[in-house]
Amino acid sequence: MKAISFYFQIHQPFRLKRYRFFDIGNDHYYYDDFQNDEIVTRIAERAYIPAAKTLLKMIEESNGAFRCAVSITGVAIEQFEQYVPEMIDLLKRLADTGKVEFLAETYAHSLASLADPEEFAEQVKVHDEKLNALFGVRPKVFRNTELVYSDEIAPQILAMGYKGVITEGAKHILGWKSPNYVYCAASAPKLKILLKNSKLSDDIAFRFGDTSWDAYPLTADKYIDWIASTPMEEQIVNLSMGLETFGELQSQQTGILQFLSALPRFAAERGIEFCTPSEAISKLKPVGELSVPFPISWADEARDTSAWLGNKLQNEAFSKLYSVAERVRLCDDRRLKQDWYYLQASDHLFYMSTKHLADGEMHSRFSPYETPFQAFTNYMNVLADFIVRVEEQYPLSIENEELNSLLTTIRNQAREIETLNKEVASMRTNIEHYNEEHKLREKPADKEEKPASKKRGRKSKPEEK
């Protein structure tokens, strides 16, 4: 039986305020709170909240037959907690249905998997803990930032305990193969791969409201017919898109929410099921290995990482950022670590893209800057101040190995001091117990001596007489 696996992405970065060169060293707050509040609130009202309510209604009306997956970044959760708490409540309700799977990913929506394995693993762990604390779930399937994946990343994902990964069904990787199967990683055969069906996903995300599209208007029954017409042996169709598709990218006036809510009814008529990514990888066997020698993503026509690392500006910012990664991990400054996460969001690099016009227009649509060069200048000014703060704690003149050695010595001394303090406290306790016992023993002796002295006094008086 054929199945559809829906996955909805939710992410919003902390956008930076205009930060001038003269602010470096003087202003350590980098974010445009007004803009962040306005954007996340607007998109939540237009898309996130109506879409989440629609998903709840679809689960209820289908008696649980409809199911899907949601992936939400840690930085998006923080903004919902701050500006749109209603969205957190809706996500909790979705989790409580047991029909919505939450996926693992990097907390900061970062590209750490391409630069720093240790940072990558730590962010994923922090993200998992956040999901468990809020929604009581433990992710089993991983979805990397922007669906970035390669043979080098696969063993890391498996080592972190995940059974499967979702990535892009890139044509230059698949060749003649179809994305509508489960594959396993060539570099980690125990890791199963689910591939996004780009054509069917983009029909909803980008073409749904396009009146010039030859398939316009797209109706639920037509869409399900397309899926049903795929070869019988192709058992899984993975549909991935941002949740903002339903109300923001495609306005509600296009009928996008009605289209979404009608899908389960027409799917049931054609004998098509819905499943979560975990259900797909547990029920379906891989048809073969898939090798991805170079990183792929779901962005642009190239489906590579050039949207974020395609020019000198982006690569300079990227390398500068991760040059201090080890030192930031060593520090205990909560504010510094928070800024470290916020500055790693891939969006900051995306705004610096100088790709050709077709893609350039797409990039500029989401950028708060007038030009990629303005985005680069602003980000590098912020990063310069951030690095100054890092250097104040751990000077860059000290090599990483030397710094690690010094910190290890300091930590060992701290442990020794702590151990000695515990021994001193124990000795004090013992002394106090000894003194208390000694006092208790002395008290009865005093009582016995007093009557004896009185007796001697009484006997002496008659003798004198």
Side-chain angles (χ1 to χ4, degrees), residues 21 44 50 156 365-366 390:
F21 174 81
Q156 299 176 53
R365 178 180 180 182
F366 298 99
V390 174

Side-chain angles (χ1 to χ4, degrees), residues 18 351 353 360 364 367-375:
R18 293 295 187 267
Y351 303 147
S353 177
S364 63
S367 177
Y369 303 97
E370 294 178 6
T371 69
F373 306 99
Q374 188 183 86

Side-chain angles (χ1 to χ4, degrees), residues 156-387:
Q156 299 176 53
I157 297 171
L158 184 65
M160 288 188 282
Y162 302 106
K163 298 177 181 179
V165 61
I166 298 174
T167 189
E168 175 68 25
K171 293 178 182 177
H172 67 280
I173 294 297
L174 283 171
W176 57 268
K177 298 176 182 177
S178 169
N180 302 332
Y181 292 101
V182 176
Y183 294 88
C184 64
S187 56
K190 290 184 179 180
L191 182 71
K192 293 183 179 180
I193 303 174
L194 295 175
L195 298 173
K196 170 194 167 188
N197 187 307
S198 301
K199 194 271 178 190
L200 290 171
S201 296
D202 293 350
D203 284 342
I204 298 176
F206 302 117
R207 291 184 280 272
F208 184 84
D210 183 2
T211 55
S212 64
W213 180 33
D214 58 5
Y216 181 87
L218 181 59
T219 58
D221 57 339
K222 183 195 295 187
Y223 190 76
I224 292 297
D225 282 344
W226 289 350
I227 294 175
S229 65
T230 57
M232 188 179 298
E233 62 274 13
E234 295 183 3
Q235 295 179 303
I236 182 76
V237 177
N238 300 295
L239 303 173
S240 302
M241 61 205 70
L243 194 64
E244 68 273 11
T245 296
F246 304 93
E248 179 69 13
L249 298 182
Q250 304 292 336
S251 69
Q252 290 191 36
Q253 285 69 32
T254 63
I256 187 75
L257 289 174
Q258 290 79 3
F259 164 83
L260 179 64
S261 61
L263 289 175
R265 179 165 61 87
F266 288 103
E269 290 177 2
R270 299 301 300 270
I272 298 173
E273 296 180 346
F274 289 89
C275 69
T276 64
S278 286
E279 290 170 339
I281 63 175
S282 64
K283 292 178 181 179
L284 302 176
K285 293 183 179 180
V287 295
E289 290 186 351
L290 191 68
S291 179
V292 185
F294 303 103
I296 58 174
S297 77
W298 69 349
D300 300 342
E301 187 64 30
R303 300 296 198 260
D304 58 13
T305 59
S306 59
W308 309 275
L309 300 172
N311 62 41
K312 290 182 179 179
L313 302 178
Q314 293 167 314
N315 281 284
E316 170 65 18
F318 188 67
S319 60
K320 193 75 172 176
L321 174 67
Y322 284 99
S323 68
V324 295
E326 190 169 354
R327 293 166 191 271
V328 177
R329 281 197 298 274
L330 292 170
C331 82
D332 296 320
D333 188 323
R334 184 179 175 185
R335 178 66 183 278
L336 199 68
K337 287 200 169 186
Q338 184 184 59
D339 290 337
W340 169 240
Y341 273 6
Y342 294 173
L343 292 177
Q344 286 186 73
S346 65
D347 308 72
H348 303 306
L349 298 169
F350 188 80
Y351 303 147
M352 301 175 199
S353 177
T354 54
K355 295 184 74 172
H356 62 83
L357 188 61
D359 288 334
E361 288 180 353
M362 180 68 179
H363 290 207
S364 63
R365 178 180 180 182
F366 298 99
S367 177
Y369 303 97
E370 294 178 6
T371 69
F373 306 99
Q374 188 183 86
F376 173 76
T377 301
N378 200 68
Y379 183 79
M380 293 305 283
N381 285 342
V382 170
L383 190 56
D385 183 80
F386 177 77
I387 291 174

